[in-house]
CSV table of all heavy atoms in Angstrom, one decimal:
chain,number,residue,atom,x,y,z
A,1,MET,N,0.8,-1.2,0.0
A,1,MET,CA,0.0,0.0,0.0
A,1,MET,C,0.9,1.2,0.0
A,1,MET,O,1.8,1.4,0.8
A,1,MET,CB,-0.9,0.0,1.2
A,1,MET,CG,-1.8,1.2,1.4
A,1,MET,SD,-3.2,1.0,2.5
A,1,MET,CE,-2.4,0.9,4.0
A,2,ALA,N,0.7,2.1,-0.9
A,2,ALA,CA,1.5,3.4,-1.1
A,2,ALA,C,1.0,4.4,-0.1
A,2,ALA,O,-0.2,4.5,0.3
A,2,ALA,CB,1.4,3.9,-2.5
A,3,VAL,N,1.9,5.2,0.4
A,3,VAL,CA,1.6,6.3,1.3
A,3,VAL,C,1.2,7.5,0.5
A,3,VAL,O,1.9,7.9,-0.4
A,3,VAL,CB,2.9,6.7,2.2
A,3,VAL,CG1,2.6,7.8,3.1
A,3,VAL,CG2,3.3,5.5,3.0
A,4,GLN,N,0.0,8.1,0.8
A,4,GLN,CA,-0.4,9.2,0.1
A,4,GLN,C,0.4,10.4,0.5
A,4,GLN,O,0.6,10.7,1.6
A,4,GLN,CB,-1.9,9.5,0.3
A,4,GLN,CG,-2.5,10.6,-0.5
A,4,GLN,CD,-4.0,10.7,-0.3
A,4,GLN,OE1,-4.6,9.8,0.2
A,4,GLN,NE2,-4.5,11.8,-0.8
A,5,GLN,N,0.8,11.2,-0.5
A,5,GLN,CA,1.6,12.4,-0.3
A,5,GLN,C,0.7,13.6,-0.1
A,5,GLN,O,-0.4,13.7,-0.6
A,5,GLN,CB,2.6,12.6,-1.5
A,5,GLN,CG,3.6,11.6,-1.7
A,5,GLN,CD,4.5,12.1,-2.8
A,5,GLN,OE1,4.3,13.1,-3.4
A,5,GLN,NE2,5.5,11.3,-3.0
A,6,SER,N,1.2,14.5,0.7
A,6,SER,CA,0.5,15.8,0.9
A,6,SER,C,1.0,16.7,-0.3
A,6,SER,O,2.2,17.0,-0.4
A,6,SER,CB,0.9,16.4,2.2
A,6,SER,OG,0.5,17.8,2.2
A,7,ILE,N,0.1,17.0,-1.2
A,7,ILE,CA,0.5,17.8,-2.3
A,7,ILE,C,-0.4,19.1,-2.4
A,7,ILE,O,-0.9,19.4,-3.4
A,7,ILE,CB,0.4,17.0,-3.7
A,7,ILE,CG1,-1.0,16.4,-3.8
A,7,ILE,CG2,1.5,16.0,-3.8
A,7,ILE,CD1,-1.2,15.7,-5.1
A,8,CYS,N,-0.4,19.8,-1.2
A,8,CYS,CA,-1.2,21.0,-1.1
A,8,CYS,C,-0.8,22.1,-2.0
A,8,CYS,O,-1.6,23.0,-2.4
A,8,CYS,CB,-1.3,21.4,0.3
A,8,CYS,SG,0.3,21.8,1.0
A,9,ASN,N,0.5,22.1,-2.5
A,9,ASN,CA,1.0,23.1,-3.3
A,9,ASN,C,1.1,22.7,-4.8
A,9,ASN,O,1.7,23.4,-5.6
A,9,ASN,CB,2.4,23.6,-2.9
A,9,ASN,CG,2.3,24.3,-1.5
A,9,ASN,OD1,1.3,25.0,-1.2
A,9,ASN,ND2,3.3,24.1,-0.7
A,10,ALA,N,0.6,21.5,-5.1
A,10,ALA,CA,0.7,21.0,-6.5
A,10,ALA,C,0.0,22.0,-7.5
A,10,ALA,O,-1.1,22.5,-7.2
A,10,ALA,CB,0.0,19.7,-6.6
A,11,GLY,N,0.7,22.3,-8.5
A,11,GLY,CA,0.1,23.2,-9.5
A,11,GLY,C,0.3,24.7,-9.2
A,11,GLY,O,0.1,25.5,-10.1
A,12,GLU,N,0.8,25.0,-8.0
A,12,GLU,CA,1.0,26.4,-7.7
A,12,GLU,C,2.4,26.8,-8.2
A,12,GLU,O,3.3,26.0,-8.2
A,12,GLU,CB,1.0,26.6,-6.2
A,12,GLU,CG,-0.4,26.3,-5.6
A,12,GLU,CD,-1.4,27.4,-6.0
A,12,GLU,OE1,-1.1,28.6,-6.1
A,12,GLU,OE2,-2.6,27.0,-6.1
A,13,PRO,N,2.6,28.1,-8.5
A,13,PRO,CA,4.0,28.6,-8.9
A,13,PRO,C,4.9,28.5,-7.7
A,13,PRO,O,4.5,28.6,-6.5
A,13,PRO,CB,3.8,30.0,-9.2
A,13,PRO,CG,2.3,30.2,-9.4
A,13,PRO,CD,1.6,29.2,-8.6
A,14,TRP,N,6.2,28.2,-8.0
A,14,TRP,CA,7.2,28.1,-7.0
A,14,TRP,C,7.6,29.5,-6.5
A,14,TRP,O,7.8,30.4,-7.4
A,14,TRP,CB,8.4,27.3,-7.5
A,14,TRP,CG,8.2,25.9,-7.6
A,14,TRP,CD1,7.5,25.2,-8.6
A,14,TRP,CD2,8.7,24.8,-6.8
A,14,TRP,NE1,7.6,23.9,-8.4
A,14,TRP,CE2,8.3,23.6,-7.3
A,14,TRP,CE3,9.5,24.8,-5.6
A,14,TRP,CZ2,8.6,22.4,-6.7
A,14,TRP,CZ3,9.9,23.6,-5.1
A,14,TRP,CH2,9.4,22.4,-5.6
A,15,THR,N,7.8,29.7,-5.2
A,15,THR,CA,8.2,31.0,-4.7
A,15,THR,C,9.7,30.9,-4.5
A,15,THR,O,10.3,29.8,-4.5
A,15,THR,CB,7.6,31.3,-3.4
A,15,THR,OG1,8.0,30.3,-2.4
A,15,THR,CG2,6.1,31.3,-3.5
A,16,GLY,N,10.4,32.0,-4.4
A,16,GLY,CA,11.8,32.1,-4.1
A,16,GLY,C,12.2,31.4,-2.8
A,16,GLY,O,13.2,30.7,-2.7
A,17,ALA,N,11.3,31.5,-1.8
A,17,ALA,CA,11.5,30.9,-0.5
A,17,ALA,C,11.5,29.4,-0.6
A,17,ALA,O,12.2,28.7,0.0
A,17,ALA,CB,10.5,31.4,0.5
A,18,GLU,N,10.5,28.9,-1.5
A,18,GLU,CA,10.4,27.4,-1.7
A,18,GLU,C,11.7,26.9,-2.4
A,18,GLU,O,12.2,25.8,-2.0
A,18,GLU,CB,9.2,27.1,-2.4
A,18,GLU,CG,7.9,27.2,-1.7
A,18,GLU,CD,6.7,26.9,-2.5
A,18,GLU,OE1,6.6,27.4,-3.7
A,18,GLU,OE2,5.8,26.2,-2.0
A,19,ILE,N,12.2,27.6,-3.3
A,19,ILE,CA,13.4,27.2,-4.1
A,19,ILE,C,14.6,27.2,-3.1
A,19,ILE,O,15.4,26.2,-3.1
A,19,ILE,CB,13.6,28.0,-5.3
A,19,ILE,CG1,12.4,27.8,-6.3
A,19,ILE,CG2,14.9,27.7,-6.0
A,19,ILE,CD1,12.4,28.8,-7.5
A,20,ALA,N,14.7,28.2,-2.3
A,20,ALA,CA,15.8,28.2,-1.3
A,20,ALA,C,15.6,27.1,-0.3
A,20,ALA,O,16.6,26.4,0.1
A,20,ALA,CB,15.7,29.6,-0.5
A,21,GLN,N,14.4,26.7,0.1
A,21,GLN,CA,14.2,25.6,1.0
A,21,GLN,C,14.6,24.3,0.3
A,21,GLN,O,15.2,23.4,0.9
A,21,GLN,CB,12.8,25.6,1.5
A,21,GLN,CG,12.5,24.5,2.5
A,21,GLN,CD,11.1,24.4,3.1
A,21,GLN,OE1,10.2,25.1,2.5
A,21,GLN,NE2,10.9,23.7,4.1
A,22,LEU,N,14.2,24.2,-1.0
A,22,LEU,CA,14.6,23.0,-1.7
A,22,LEU,C,16.1,22.8,-1.8
A,22,LEU,O,16.6,21.7,-1.5
A,22,LEU,CB,14.0,23.1,-3.2
A,22,LEU,CG,14.5,22.1,-4.2
A,22,LEU,CD1,14.1,20.6,-3.8
A,22,LEU,CD2,13.9,22.4,-5.5
A,23,ARG,N,16.8,23.9,-2.0
A,23,ARG,CA,18.2,23.9,-2.0
A,23,ARG,C,18.8,23.4,-0.7
A,23,ARG,O,19.7,22.6,-0.6
A,23,ARG,CB,18.8,25.3,-2.4
A,23,ARG,CG,20.3,25.3,-2.7
A,23,ARG,CD,20.7,26.6,-3.2
A,23,ARG,NE,20.0,27.1,-4.4
A,23,ARG,CZ,20.2,26.8,-5.6
A,23,ARG,NH1,21.2,25.9,-5.9
A,23,ARG,NH2,19.5,27.3,-6.6
A,24,ARG,N,18.3,24.0,0.4
A,24,ARG,CA,18.8,23.6,1.8
A,24,ARG,C,18.5,22.1,2.1
A,24,ARG,O,19.3,21.4,2.6
A,24,ARG,CB,18.1,24.5,2.8
A,24,ARG,CG,18.7,25.9,3.0
A,24,ARG,CD,18.2,26.6,4.2
A,24,ARG,NE,16.7,26.6,4.3
A,24,ARG,CZ,15.9,27.5,3.8
A,24,ARG,NH1,16.4,28.5,3.1
A,24,ARG,NH2,14.6,27.5,3.9
A,25,LEU,N,17.3,21.7,1.7
A,25,LEU,CA,16.9,20.3,2.0
A,25,LEU,C,17.8,19.3,1.2
A,25,LEU,O,18.3,18.3,1.7
A,25,LEU,CB,15.5,20.0,1.7
A,25,LEU,CG,14.5,20.8,2.6
A,25,LEU,CD1,13.0,20.6,2.1
A,25,LEU,CD2,14.6,20.3,4.0
A,26,ALA,N,18.1,19.7,-0.1
A,26,ALA,CA,19.0,18.9,-0.9
A,26,ALA,C,20.4,18.9,-0.4
A,26,ALA,O,21.0,17.8,-0.4
A,26,ALA,CB,18.9,19.4,-2.3
A,27,GLU,N,20.9,20.0,0.1
A,27,GLU,CA,22.2,20.1,0.7
A,27,GLU,C,22.3,19.2,2.0
A,27,GLU,O,23.4,18.7,2.3
A,27,GLU,CB,22.6,21.5,1.0
A,27,GLU,CG,22.9,22.3,-0.2
A,27,GLU,CD,23.1,23.8,0.1
A,27,GLU,OE1,22.9,24.2,1.3
A,27,GLU,OE2,23.4,24.6,-0.8
A,28,ASN,N,21.2,19.0,2.7
A,28,ASN,CA,21.2,18.1,3.8
A,28,ASN,C,21.0,16.7,3.5
A,28,ASN,O,20.7,15.8,4.4
A,28,ASN,CB,20.1,18.6,4.8
A,28,ASN,CG,20.4,19.9,5.5
A,28,ASN,OD1,21.6,20.1,5.8
A,28,ASN,ND2,19.5,20.7,5.8
A,29,ASN,N,21.0,16.3,2.2
A,29,ASN,CA,20.9,15.0,1.7
A,29,ASN,C,19.6,14.3,2.1
A,29,ASN,O,19.6,13.1,2.3
A,29,ASN,CB,22.1,14.1,2.2
A,29,ASN,CG,23.4,14.5,1.6
A,29,ASN,OD1,23.5,14.9,0.5
A,29,ASN,ND2,24.5,14.4,2.4
A,30,LEU,N,18.5,15.0,2.1
A,30,LEU,CA,17.2,14.4,2.3
A,30,LEU,C,16.8,13.8,1.0
A,30,LEU,O,17.1,14.3,-0.1
A,30,LEU,CB,16.2,15.4,2.8
A,30,LEU,CG,16.5,16.0,4.2
A,30,LEU,CD1,15.5,17.0,4.5
A,30,LEU,CD2,16.5,14.9,5.2
A,31,SER,N,16.0,12.7,1.1
A,31,SER,CA,15.5,12.0,-0.1
A,31,SER,C,14.4,12.9,-0.8
A,31,SER,O,13.8,13.8,-0.2
A,31,SER,CB,14.9,10.7,0.2
A,31,SER,OG,13.7,10.8,1.0
A,32,VAL,N,14.2,12.6,-2.1
A,32,VAL,CA,13.2,13.4,-2.8
A,32,VAL,C,11.8,13.2,-2.2
A,32,VAL,O,11.0,14.1,-2.1
A,32,VAL,CB,13.2,12.9,-4.3
A,32,VAL,CG1,12.1,13.6,-5.1
A,32,VAL,CG2,14.5,13.2,-5.0
A,33,CYS,N,11.6,12.0,-1.7
A,33,CYS,CA,10.3,11.7,-1.0
A,33,CYS,C,10.1,12.6,0.2
A,33,CYS,O,9.0,13.3,0.3
A,33,CYS,CB,10.2,10.3,-0.6
A,33,CYS,SG,8.7,9.8,0.2
A,34,VAL,N,11.1,12.8,1.0
A,34,VAL,CA,11.0,13.6,2.2
A,34,VAL,C,10.9,15.1,1.8
A,34,VAL,O,10.1,15.8,2.4
A,34,VAL,CB,12.2,13.4,3.1
A,34,VAL,CG1,12.2,14.4,4.3
A,34,VAL,CG2,12.2,12.0,3.7
A,35,ILE,N,11.7,15.5,0.8
A,35,ILE,CA,11.6,16.9,0.3
A,35,ILE,C,10.2,17.2,-0.2
A,35,ILE,O,9.7,18.3,0.1
A,35,ILE,CB,12.7,17.1,-0.7
A,35,ILE,CG1,14.1,17.1,-0.1
A,35,ILE,CG2,12.5,18.5,-1.4
A,35,ILE,CD1,15.2,17.1,-1.1
A,36,SER,N,9.6,16.3,-1.0
A,36,SER,CA,8.3,16.5,-1.5
A,36,SER,C,7.3,16.7,-0.4
A,36,SER,O,6.4,17.5,-0.5
A,36,SER,CB,7.9,15.4,-2.5
A,36,SER,OG,7.7,14.2,-1.9
A,37,LEU,N,7.4,15.9,0.6
A,37,LEU,CA,6.4,16.0,1.7
A,37,LEU,C,6.6,17.3,2.5
A,37,LEU,O,5.6,17.9,2.8
A,37,LEU,CB,6.6,14.8,2.7
A,37,LEU,CG,6.1,13.5,2.2
A,37,LEU,CD1,6.5,12.4,3.2
A,37,LEU,CD2,4.7,13.5,1.9
A,38,ARG,N,7.8,17.7,2.7
A,38,ARG,CA,8.1,19.0,3.4
A,38,ARG,C,7.6,20.2,2.6
A,38,ARG,O,7.1,21.2,3.2
A,38,ARG,CB,9.5,19.1,3.7
A,38,ARG,CG,10.0,18.1,4.8
A,38,ARG,CD,11.0,18.6,5.7
A,38,ARG,NE,11.4,17.6,6.6
A,38,ARG,CZ,12.6,17.6,7.2
A,38,ARG,NH1,13.5,18.5,6.9
A,38,ARG,NH2,12.9,16.6,8.1
A,39,LEU,N,7.7,20.1,1.3
A,39,LEU,CA,7.3,21.2,0.4
A,39,LEU,C,5.9,21.2,0.0
A,39,LEU,O,5.3,22.1,-0.6
A,39,LEU,CB,8.2,21.3,-0.8
A,39,LEU,CG,9.7,21.7,-0.6
A,39,LEU,CD1,10.5,21.6,-1.9
A,39,LEU,CD2,9.8,23.0,0.0
A,40,GLY,N,5.2,20.0,0.2
A,40,GLY,CA,3.8,19.8,-0.2
A,40,GLY,C,3.7,19.8,-1.7
A,40,GLY,O,2.7,20.2,-2.3
A,41,ARG,N,4.7,19.2,-2.4
A,41,ARG,CA,4.7,19.1,-3.8
A,41,ARG,C,4.9,17.6,-4.2
A,41,ARG,O,5.6,16.9,-3.5
A,41,ARG,CB,5.9,19.9,-4.4
A,41,ARG,CG,5.9,21.4,-4.0
A,41,ARG,CD,5.6,22.2,-5.2
A,41,ARG,NE,5.6,23.6,-4.9
A,41,ARG,CZ,4.9,24.5,-5.6
A,41,ARG,NH1,4.2,24.1,-6.7
A,41,ARG,NH2,4.9,25.7,-5.3
A,42,PRO,N,4.4,17.2,-5.4
A,42,PRO,CA,4.7,15.9,-5.9
A,42,PRO,C,6.2,15.7,-6.2
A,42,PRO,O,6.9,16.6,-6.5
A,42,PRO,CB,3.9,15.8,-7.2
A,42,PRO,CG,3.0,16.9,-7.2
A,42,PRO,CD,3.6,18.0,-6.3
A,43,GLU,N,6.7,14.4,-6.0
A,43,GLU,CA,8.1,14.1,-6.3
A,43,GLU,C,8.5,14.6,-7.7
A,43,GLU,O,9.6,15.1,-7.9
A,43,GLU,CB,8.3,12.6,-6.1
A,43,GLU,CG,8.3,12.2,-4.7
A,43,GLU,CD,8.6,10.7,-4.5
A,43,GLU,OE1,9.5,10.2,-5.2
A,43,GLU,OE2,8.0,10.1,-3.6
A,44,VAL,N,7.6,14.4,-8.7
A,44,VAL,CA,8.0,14.7,-10.0
A,44,VAL,C,8.2,16.2,-10.1
A,44,VAL,O,9.2,16.7,-10.8
A,44,VAL,CB,6.8,14.3,-11.0
A,44,VAL,CG1,7.0,14.8,-12.4
A,44,VAL,CG2,6.7,12.8,-11.0
A,45,ALA,N,7.4,17.0,-9.4
A,45,ALA,CA,7.6,18.5,-9.5
A,45,ALA,C,8.9,18.9,-8.8
A,45,ALA,O,9.6,19.8,-9.2
A,45,ALA,CB,6.4,19.2,-8.8
A,46,VAL,N,9.2,18.2,-7.7
A,46,VAL,CA,10.5,18.5,-7.0
A,46,VAL,C,11.7,18.2,-7.9
A,46,VAL,O,12.6,19.0,-8.0
A,46,VAL,CB,10.6,17.7,-5.6
A,46,VAL,CG1,11.9,17.8,-5.0
A,46,VAL,CG2,9.5,18.2,-4.7
A,47,LYS,N,11.6,17.1,-8.5
A,47,LYS,CA,12.8,16.7,-9.4
A,47,LYS,C,12.9,17.7,-10.6
A,47,LYS,O,14.0,18.1,-10.9
A,47,LYS,CB,12.5,15.3,-9.9
A,47,LYS,CG,12.7,14.2,-8.9
A,47,LYS,CD,12.4,12.8,-9.5
A,47,LYS,CE,12.5,11.7,-8.5
A,47,LYS,NZ,12.2,10.4,-9.0
A,48,ALA,N,11.7,18.1,-11.1
A,48,ALA,CA,11.8,19.0,-12.3
A,48,ALA,C,12.3,20.3,-11.9
A,48,ALA,O,13.1,20.9,-12.6
A,48,ALA,CB,10.4,19.1,-12.9
A,49,LYS,N,11.9,20.9,-10.7
A,49,LYS,CA,12.3,22.2,-10.2
A,49,LYS,C,13.8,22.1,-9.9
A,49,LYS,O,14.6,23.1,-10.1
A,49,LYS,CB,11.5,22.6,-9.1
A,49,LYS,CG,11.9,24.0,-8.6
A,49,LYS,CD,12.0,25.1,-9.6
A,49,LYS,CE,10.6,25.5,-10.1
A,49,LYS,NZ,10.7,26.7,-11.0
A,50,ALA,N,14.3,21.0,-9.3
A,50,ALA,CA,15.7,20.9,-8.9
A,50,ALA,C,16.5,20.9,-10.2
A,50,ALA,O,17.6,21.5,-10.2
A,50,ALA,CB,15.9,19.6,-8.1
A,51,THR,N,16.1,20.2,-11.2
A,51,THR,CA,16.8,20.2,-12.5
A,51,THR,C,16.9,21.6,-13.1
A,51,THR,O,17.9,22.0,-13.5
A,51,THR,CB,16.2,19.2,-13.5
A,51,THR,OG1,16.2,17.9,-12.9
A,51,THR,CG2,16.9,19.2,-14.8
A,52,GLN,N,15.7,22.3,-13.1
A,52,GLN,CA,15.6,23.6,-13.6
A,52,GLN,C,16.5,24.6,-12.9
A,52,GLN,O,17.1,25.5,-13.5
A,52,GLN,CB,14.2,24.1,-13.6
A,52,GLN,CG,13.9,25.4,-14.2
A,52,GLN,CD,12.5,25.9,-14.1
A,52,GLN,OE1,11.8,25.4,-13.2
A,52,GLN,NE2,12.1,26.7,-15.0
A,53,ALA,N,16.6,24.4,-11.6
A,53,ALA,CA,17.3,25.4,-10.7
A,53,ALA,C,18.8,24.9,-10.5
A,53,ALA,O,19.5,25.5,-9.7
A,53,ALA,CB,16.7,25.5,-9.4
A,54,ASN,N,19.2,23.8,-11.2
A,54,ASN,CA,20.5,23.3,-11.1
A,54,ASN,C,20.9,22.8,-9.7
A,54,ASN,O,22.0,23.1,-9.2
A,54,ASN,CB,21.5,24.2,-11.7
A,54,ASN,CG,22.8,23.6,-12.1
A,54,ASN,OD1,22.8,22.4,-12.4
A,54,ASN,ND2,23.9,24.3,-12.1
A,55,ILE,N,19.9,22.1,-9.0
A,55,ILE,CA,20.1,21.6,-7.7
A,55,ILE,C,20.3,20.1,-7.7
A,55,ILE,O,19.5,19.4,-8.3
A,55,ILE,CB,18.9,22.0,-6.8
A,55,ILE,CG1,18.7,23.5,-6.7
A,55,ILE,CG2,19.1,21.4,-5.4
A,55,ILE,CD1,17.4,23.9,-6.0
A,56,THR,N,21.4,19.6,-7.2
A,56,THR,CA,21.6,18.2,-7.2
A,56,THR,C,20.9,17.5,-6.0
A,56,THR,O,21.0,17.9,-4.9
A,56,THR,CB,23.1,17.9,-7.0
A,56,THR,OG1,23.8,18.6,-8.0
A,56,THR,CG2,23.4,16.4,-7.0
A,57,LEU,N,20.1,16.5,-6.4
A,57,LEU,CA,19.3,15.7,-5.4
A,57,LEU,C,20.0,14.4,-5.0
A,57,LEU,O,19.4,13.7,-4.1
A,57,LEU,CB,17.9,15.5,-5.9
A,57,LEU,CG,17.0,16.7,-6.1
A,57,LEU,CD1,15.7,16.3,-6.8
A,57,LEU,CD2,16.8,17.4,-4.8
A,58,LEU,N,21.1,14.1,-5.5
A,58,LEU,CA,21.8,12.8,-5.1
A,58,LEU,C,22.4,13.0,-3.7
A,58,LEU,O,23.0,14.0,-3.4
A,58,LEU,CB,22.9,12.5,-6.1
A,58,LEU,CG,22.4,12.3,-7.6
A,58,LEU,CD1,23.7,12.1,-8.5
A,58,LEU,CD2,21.5,11.2,-7.7
A,59,PRO,N,22.2,12.0,-2.9
A,59,PRO,CA,22.8,12.0,-1.6
A,59,PRO,C,24.4,11.9,-1.8
A,59,PRO,O,24.9,10.9,-2.2
A,59,PRO,CB,22.3,10.8,-0.8
A,59,PRO,CG,21.6,10.0,-1.8
A,59,PRO,CD,21.4,10.8,-3.1
A,60,ARG,N,25.0,13.0,-1.4
A,60,ARG,CA,26.5,13.1,-1.6
A,60,ARG,C,27.3,12.3,-0.6
A,60,ARG,O,28.4,11.9,-0.8
A,60,ARG,CB,26.9,14.5,-1.6
A,60,ARG,CG,26.4,15.3,-2.8
A,60,ARG,CD,26.9,16.7,-2.8
A,60,ARG,NE,26.1,17.5,-1.8
A,60,ARG,CZ,24.9,18.1,-2.1
A,60,ARG,NH1,24.5,18.0,-3.4
A,60,ARG,NH2,24.3,18.8,-1.3
A,61,ASN,N,26.7,12.0,0.6
A,61,ASN,CA,27.5,11.3,1.6
A,61,ASN,C,27.2,9.9,1.8
A,61,ASN,O,27.5,9.3,2.7
A,61,ASN,CB,27.4,12.1,3.0
A,61,ASN,CG,25.9,12.0,3.5
A,61,ASN,OD1,25.0,11.6,2.8
A,61,ASN,ND2,25.7,12.4,4.7
A,62,ARG,N,26.5,9.3,0.8
A,62,ARG,CA,26.1,7.9,0.9
A,62,ARG,C,26.6,7.2,-0.4
A,62,ARG,O,26.6,7.7,-1.5
A,62,ARG,CB,24.6,7.7,0.9
A,62,ARG,CG,24.0,8.4,2.1
A,62,ARG,CD,22.5,8.1,2.2
A,62,ARG,NE,21.9,8.9,3.3
A,62,ARG,CZ,20.7,9.3,3.3
A,62,ARG,NH1,19.9,8.9,2.3
A,62,ARG,NH2,20.2,10.0,4.3
A,63,LEU,N,27.1,6.0,-0.2
A,63,LEU,CA,27.5,5.1,-1.3
A,63,LEU,C,26.3,4.5,-2.0
A,63,LEU,O,25.3,4.2,-1.3
A,63,LEU,CB,28.5,4.0,-0.8
A,63,LEU,CG,29.8,4.5,-0.2
A,63,LEU,CD1,30.6,3.3,0.4
A,63,LEU,CD2,30.7,5.1,-1.3
A,64,PRO,N,26.4,4.2,-3.3
A,64,PRO,CA,25.3,3.5,-3.9
A,64,PRO,C,25.1,2.1,-3.3
A,64,PRO,O,26.0,1.6,-2.7
A,64,PRO,CB,25.8,3.4,-5.4
A,64,PRO,CG,26.9,4.4,-5.5
A,64,PRO,CD,27.5,4.6,-4.2
A,65,TYR,N,23.9,1.6,-3.4
A,65,TYR,CA,23.6,0.3,-2.9
A,65,TYR,C,24.6,-0.7,-3.5
A,65,TYR,O,24.9,-0.7,-4.6
A,65,TYR,CB,22.2,-0.1,-3.2
A,65,TYR,CG,21.1,0.7,-2.5
A,65,TYR,CD1,20.4,1.6,-3.1
A,65,TYR,CD2,20.9,0.5,-1.2
A,65,TYR,CE1,19.4,2.4,-2.5
A,65,TYR,CE2,20.0,1.2,-0.5
A,65,TYR,CZ,19.2,2.1,-1.1
A,65,TYR,OH,18.3,2.9,-0.4
A,66,GLY,N,25.0,-1.7,-2.6
A,66,GLY,CA,25.8,-2.8,-3.1
A,66,GLY,C,27.3,-2.5,-3.1
A,66,GLY,O,28.1,-3.3,-3.4
A,67,ARG,N,27.7,-1.3,-2.7
A,67,ARG,CA,29.1,-0.9,-2.6
A,67,ARG,C,29.5,-0.7,-1.2
A,67,ARG,O,28.8,0.0,-0.4
A,67,ARG,CB,29.3,0.4,-3.4
A,67,ARG,CG,28.9,0.2,-4.8
A,67,ARG,CD,30.0,0.7,-5.7
A,67,ARG,NE,29.6,0.5,-7.1
A,67,ARG,CZ,29.9,1.3,-8.1
A,67,ARG,NH1,30.7,2.3,-7.8
A,67,ARG,NH2,29.6,1.0,-9.3
A,68,LEU,N,30.7,-1.1,-0.9
A,68,LEU,CA,31.2,-0.9,0.5
A,68,LEU,C,32.4,-0.1,0.5
A,68,LEU,O,33.2,0.1,-0.4
A,68,LEU,CB,31.6,-2.3,1.1
A,68,LEU,CG,30.3,-3.2,1.4
A,68,LEU,CD1,30.8,-4.5,1.9
A,68,LEU,CD2,29.4,-2.5,2.4
C-alpha cells in the first residue's frame, strides 16, 4: 500500500523561498520523497524544479547500494 503524499501546493507557482528551502533540504541529503512531503509538492515536481534550478538531489555522503 502506497503512502499518500501531501500535495497541497501542487500546480502552484514556486516561490523564491520554496526554491531556497529545496536547495537547503537537498544540501542536507534528504531524499526526494521527504523533500516533496516537506514542500507539499509531488516528487515529479520537486525533481523537475531541482533540475531547472541546477540543484543536485543525489545524496552526496552515501555510497550507492551494493558498494562498500
Side-chain angles (χ1 to χ4, degrees):
M1 178 162 68
V3 176
Q4 184 173 348
Q5 293 184 357
S6 170
I7 52 173
C8 58
N9 293 325
E12 296 291 325
W14 287 75
T15 65
E18 287 177 318
I19 296 170
Q21 184 179 10
L22 171 61
R23 190 175 306 280
R24 282 192 306 274
L25 294 171
E27 287 172 356
N28 287 326
N29 291 326
L30 294 177
S31 68
V32 175
C33 179
V34 172
I35 292 172
S36 71
L37 290 172
R38 292 212 180 154
L39 294 175
R41 303 248 180 205
E43 289 183 35
V44 173
V46 170
K47 289 178 185 178
K49 182 51 75 174
T51 300
Q52 183 184 23
N54 201 25
I55 299 170
T56 302
L57 293 175
L58 300 175
R60 292 180 281 275
N61 65 351
R62 297 183 190 156
L63 293 173
Y65 290 107
R67 300 227 178 151
L68 296 177

